[in-house]
Amino acid sequence: MELNENAEIDTSQIDDRRSSGGGGGGGIGGLPIGGGGLTGIIVTVLLAVVGGYFGINGLSGDGGEPQSGDNTRLRQECAQPDKVKKLECRNTLYVNAIQDYWVDAYPQHFGEAYKPAKTVFFAQRVRTGCGAADSGVGPFYCPADDQVYIDLTFYKQLADQLGAPGEFAQPYVLAHEYGHHIQDISGTESEMRRAQQRDPDQANKLSVKLELQADCYAGAWAKNATGADDRSGRKLFKSITEQDIQEGLDTAAKIGDDTLQQRGGGTINPAEFTHGTSAQRQQWFQTGFQSGSPKSCDTFATGAV
Ligand SMILES: [Zn+2]
């Protein structure tokens, strides 16, 4: 993959809270969401369903009002000539490219305008509309405040502990989380949650379908990624190669439920799967990539999964 070092990186799509610290101080106009935050159990359920790669830990109920960060440093960094060498600027560019795709693709497939979603960069702990979370949960999407959350040190964990060091793991992870945003604004996620409440025995199976659909959306984006432009019409990606796609597939293989359970030293228990097996995650990323269309991503169709 080659990024266009001349492209303009739009840091307004990011909320950089990495230096804003914990607690309530320092926030500039937090988003008023709900009352005093959700309970731990509800938060856990919310995040476990649409959340990160590893399930959930370290959540507490003191969600409170989310903070807002300060993008000054990020904006400066990502305006430098060597910006694409910097992790946070590359990730900002990936977010730009993913949303640029959905601005066109979403109306085509869902018949209404795409609603942009910010990605929050945080360090260690963060307050969200879904409650407080720590880095251990992995990247996640919070449907209550429509934001993607990521601690960028996650990629080191992905490389060192899970064996997915490829650069393309990064846009894949972000595109998967934006897949959850698509499911949120299109109503798929709330429909799925109602189905889970009606039929709790099927809750994990439904979660797997939701997760695999997000993988498929990531694949559909990857196919179209080189079409993404900045505000002035300059390409964000110069090229994406077969090796990149292979790295996306390799990442999908490392974060399948069966692989993670095995790695955790436990026995493989399909009843506990919430994200799909390695093979399924690869298969659905591939399905999206081959068609290049969200239409191919109906994991909820009878017999699809
Ligand atoms: Zn997910």
Side-chain angles (χ1 to χ4, degrees):
M1 148 172 81
E2 199 186 344
L3 304 177
N4 183 1
E5 64 278 6
N6 296 316
E8 183 191 346
I9 295 179
D10 179 6
T11 56
S12 75
Q13 297 183 14
I14 303 295
D15 183 5
D16 188 3
R17 295 192 210 161
R18 287 172 298 169
S19 58
S20 56
I28 29 171
L31 301 169
I33 288 165
L38 304 165
T39 72
I41 289 165
I42 292 170
V43 168
T44 301
V45 170
L46 263 179
L47 287 179
V49 169
V50 289
Y53 287 84
F54 309 124
I56 298 308
N57 58 33
L59 286 171
S60 65
D62 63 342
E65 289 194 357
Q67 304 155 295
S68 234
D70 179 357
N71 279 14
T72 311
R73 201 182 62 83
L74 183 71
R75 196 166 52 239
Q76 287 163 352
E77 291 269 302
C78 300
Q80 307 277 332
D82 64 344
K83 60 201 173 196
V84 298
K85 296 202 176 87
K86 294 170 190 156
L87 176 73
E88 62 262 55
C89 300
R90 287 202 307 279
N91 273 262
T92 306
L93 183 149
Y94 301 148
V95 167
N96 294 169
I98 292 160
Q99 297 210 90
D100 191 62
Y101 166 66
W102 284 112
V103 164
D104 292 329
Y106 190 81
Q108 269 175 35
H109 296 283
F110 297 96
E112 55 186 27
Y114 174 68
K115 294 187 198 79
K118 283 192 183 188
T119 287
V120 177
F121 292 165
F122 71 96
Q124 295 171 334
R125 287 184 67 74
V126 68
R127 290 174 167 201
T128 82
C130 300
D134 76 22
S135 298
V137 303
F140 63 93
Y141 175 76
C142 169
D145 61 19
D146 293 349
Q147 297 189 112
V148 172
Y149 289 85
I150 186 166
D151 180 333
L152 294 172
T153 62
F154 168 75
Y155 295 129
K156 194 165 157 37
Q157 195 188 347
L158 197 55
D160 297 350
Q161 291 168 26
L162 296 173
E167 173 71 16
F168 205 78
Q170 300 181 19
Y172 160 66
V173 163
L174 291 167
H176 172 97
E177 297 307 335
Y178 273 91
H180 288 313
H181 175 58
I182 299 302
Q183 293 169 328
D184 179 20
I185 59 178
S186 64
T188 304
E189 186 256 333
S190 51
E191 209 174 293
M192 194 279 301
R193 199 171 319 286
R194 283 194 297 274
Q196 284 181 318
Q197 278 159 1
R198 279 197 306 271
D199 194 354
D201 289 349
Q202 294 295 309
N204 282 355
K205 277 188 185 148
L206 289 162
S207 167
V208 166
K209 288 171 192 273
L210 196 77
E211 293 297 333
L212 294 175
Q213 185 175 65
D215 283 336
C216 183
Y217 286 163
W221 166 74
K223 178 75 171 187
N224 296 283
T226 49
D229 298 324
D230 71 6
R231 272 188 287 225
S232 314
R234 286 173 293 226
K235 295 277 169 244
L236 294 170
F237 287 87
K238 282 183 173 167
S239 66
I240 287 178
T241 63
E242 250 170 65
Q243 193 202 323
D244 297 319
I245 301 309
Q246 193 54 52
E247 286 175 3
L249 288 167
D250 288 347
T251 308
K254 300 293 184 189
I255 55 178
D257 288 320
D258 50 343
T259 304
L260 289 176
Q261 283 182 353
Q262 215 163 19
R263 188 174 274 274
T267 48
I268 295 173
N269 182 1
E272 287 173 8
F273 290 175
T274 53
H275 285 66
T277 64
S278 293
Q280 286 175 318
R281 299 199 69 163
Q282 289 188 304
Q283 182 205 327
W284 283 98
F285 178 83
Q286 188 87 278
T287 297
F289 181 75
Q290 276 164 1
S291 73
S293 164
K295 270 212 173 72
S296 66
C297 299
D298 191 2
T299 53
F300 291 91
T302 312
V305 172

